[in-house]
Amino acid sequence: MPADARRLLHRLGPIPAYLVNDLEDIVAWNAAAAALITDFAQLPVHERNTVRLAIRLGGTLCSAPVGAEGDFARQSAAHLRAAGARHPADRAMGELVNEYAAHTPDFVAGWRGHDVRPRPTLRKRLHHPALGELELDRQTLLMPGTSLRLVLYTADPGSPSATALAQLGPPAAAP
């Protein structure tokens, strides 16, 4: 993990963010992400994965707003297909692809479409137990010089979701 990537992650302060690798593993996160999504430190390492979390949580935490259904699954397919081209013999990647394909037809459609274009922003609806319903943008940025991507969750300025995000209390320190 590059030290500058970790520093940037923690300097984001109240903006929930985490770093993912080619396999969509969440390799580092800030305290705001842990407060918003889940305490990643409490999950087994193999479960700290955006695809596995999407399967396990099955729409109970995040969903797509009307018109954006399936965007996350298709984005995941594009990221994993691009990563698969860089790591063609990676068995864990094949297992992850099969695992997700068994749970969502949108992933299968994205995979079969061979799309590898990045989708830097997805609109998400998040059902937070304390903050209620949030409309958030999930931005994904490539960390230069690495295969890591920085994923950030933001809300439109002045929106009820932005007000709610500002209420996130300081959770336990993240790694």
Side-chain angles (χ1 to χ4, degrees):
M1 169 75 54
D4 57 340
R6 189 176 298 276
R7 278 192 304 274
L8 173 62
L9 181 64
H10 294 294
R11 288 179 181 165
L12 292 171
I15 299 171
Y18 52 79
L19 290 164
V20 294
N21 64 14
D22 275 344
L23 275 176
E24 298 293 322
D25 293 325
I26 300 166
V27 297
W29 56 90
N30 65 14
L36 180 66
I37 300 167
T38 190
D39 185 354
F40 300 109
Q42 297 301 311
L43 296 175
V45 173
H46 73 280
E47 289 295 319
R48 294 178 197 161
N49 179 282
T50 63
V51 170
R52 287 197 174 99
L53 284 173
I55 293 169
R56 184 168 64 88
L57 298 174
T60 61
L61 177 66
C62 287
S63 62
V66 173
E69 297 88 350
D71 284 356
F72 175 79
R74 286 186 294 276
Q75 180 189 50
S76 296
H79 283 303
L80 288 172
R81 184 165 283 287
R86 291 188 297 274
H87 311 284
D90 190 325
R91 183 176 162 203
M93 186 166 306
E95 291 171 1
L96 185 61
V97 166
N98 290 336
E99 187 178 343
Y100 203 28
H103 286 86
T104 176
D106 289 315
F107 178 84
V108 173
W111 186 262
R112 289 184 179 154
H114 296 274
D115 186 8
V116 294
R117 291 173 295 155
R119 289 177 180 87
T121 303
L122 293 176
R123 180 64 73 146
K124 302 281 281 184
R125 179 176 293 132
L126 194 124
H127 315 283
H128 191 274
L131 303 177
E133 188 91 7
L134 304 172
E135 288 281 332
L136 303 174
D137 286 327
R138 179 186 188 265
Q139 284 100 9
T140 304
L141 308 170
L142 182 62
M143 295 295 298
T146 75
S147 63
L148 297 173
R149 292 182 317 279
L150 177 65
V151 179
L152 305 105
Y153 288 84
T154 61
D156 293 332
S159 69
S161 294
T163 301
L165 271 183
Q167 297 173 20
L168 274 179

